[in-house]
Amino acid sequence: MMEWTEEKIIEYINQGWTLSYDKTNQKYKLQKRINGRVKSYTLPKRFNEFCKRLKEEFKYLPIFEDIEKEYSITKVMERHNLDEIEIYDVLWKYVEWKLNKREGLKELLYDILCKFKAIEEIEDRLNKASRMVRTGFGFAELSFQCPNCLENSKLRYDKSMGKWVCSNCGEIPF
């Protein structure tokens, strides 16, 4: 009888063995086709939780690699056919994966903080640009198609809101 450890299971997987769940015995198995025959090892039940995490990790590994390559979220979604709801789940799993690995945490945190700072700067510049456009449109009384009511209108300043609004629907178009 072989003595199994987490390291030994990972070693087998790295050698091309497949991890699958045996519903009948409620245990995981390592399987590999050798010389036309399937060789199989049933793992002790105490490794079920570890194997479940490992199997999920291998499922997401290609996505995590793309995130590590700093692909944009949109590109990751396209490459792996993910929708907006799924990407949030994947990002959560990525953070859990990084935390479980206990490596690269300092770099991950630094990267998040740098990107957050950059986003704050971009947001500030967009707010200034948006203010310039709104006041320019409003004071010049230029016509535009409101994205809310889809009517041609002009901007007017609503003193009660302290905002520029559509002259037709009264909504903020920016």
Side-chain angles (χ1 to χ4, degrees):
M1 181 118 171
M2 188 179 304
E3 187 61 38
W4 289 101
T5 63
E6 291 178 359
E7 292 77 22
K8 187 165 244 164
I9 294 169
I10 291 171
E11 183 183 316
Y12 270 74
I13 290 171
N14 288 335
Q15 293 173 7
W17 289 73
T18 306
L19 195 58
S20 61
Y21 187 70
D22 179 0
K23 289 181 183 176
T24 307
N25 296 316
Q26 296 183 337
K27 295 178 183 179
Y28 278 87
K29 286 182 177 181
L30 283 168
Q31 296 177 313
K32 186 175 184 180
R33 184 172 296 278
I34 301 171
N35 298 328
R37 302 186 78 199
V38 176
K39 185 155 173 115
S40 174
Y41 292 111
T42 302
L43 301 171
K45 218 174 200 171
R46 70 178 185 271
F47 291 108
N48 277 4
E49 192 58 40
F50 171 75
C51 290
K52 182 179 176 186
R53 274 195 340 263
L54 199 59
K55 194 165 173 75
E56 189 169 288
E57 182 178 308
F58 278 103
K59 173 182 161 188
Y60 289 103
L61 218 47
I63 303 171
F64 294 167
E65 287 172 359
D66 284 354
I67 293 170
E68 300 257 313
K69 290 176 187 169
E70 297 186 8
Y71 286 166
S72 70
I73 296 301
T74 307
K75 187 170 183 174
V76 171
M77 289 170 66
E78 288 171 3
R79 283 177 55 103
H80 300 282
N81 199 25
L82 301 170
D83 63 29
E84 289 180 17
I85 295 170
E86 291 169 320
I87 194 63
Y88 288 111
D89 186 44
V90 168
L91 292 172
W92 184 263
K93 289 180 186 322
Y94 174 72
V95 171
E96 284 180 334
W97 177 69
K98 286 296 253 185
L99 289 171
N100 286 337
K101 282 177 59 176
R102 297 196 192 285
E103 61 184 54
L105 291 178
K106 184 166 66 171
E107 292 83 4
L108 177 64
L109 210 65
Y110 177 75
D111 191 41
I112 290 168
L113 291 173
C114 287
K115 286 181 180 169
F116 184 73
K117 180 66 177 151
I119 288 170
E120 282 181 335
E121 290 172 9
I122 291 168
E123 184 180 38
D124 185 48
R125 292 181 70 186
L126 281 172
N127 283 337
K128 287 178 182 175
S130 174
R131 184 168 194 264
M132 182 185 74
V133 168
R134 285 179 280 147
T135 55
F137 267 72
F139 291 135
E141 295 187 6
L142 296 174
S143 295
F144 71 100
Q145 184 181 26
C146 176
N148 297 317
C149 67
L150 302 176
E151 297 291 326
N152 282 338
S153 62
K154 295 181 179 179
L155 284 179
R156 70 173 171 77
Y157 191 75
D158 185 330
K159 288 182 182 176
S160 65
M161 291 175 62
K163 306 264 184 197
W164 288 92
V165 297
C166 169
S167 59
N168 289 327
C169 67
E171 296 290 321
I172 301 168
F174 296 95

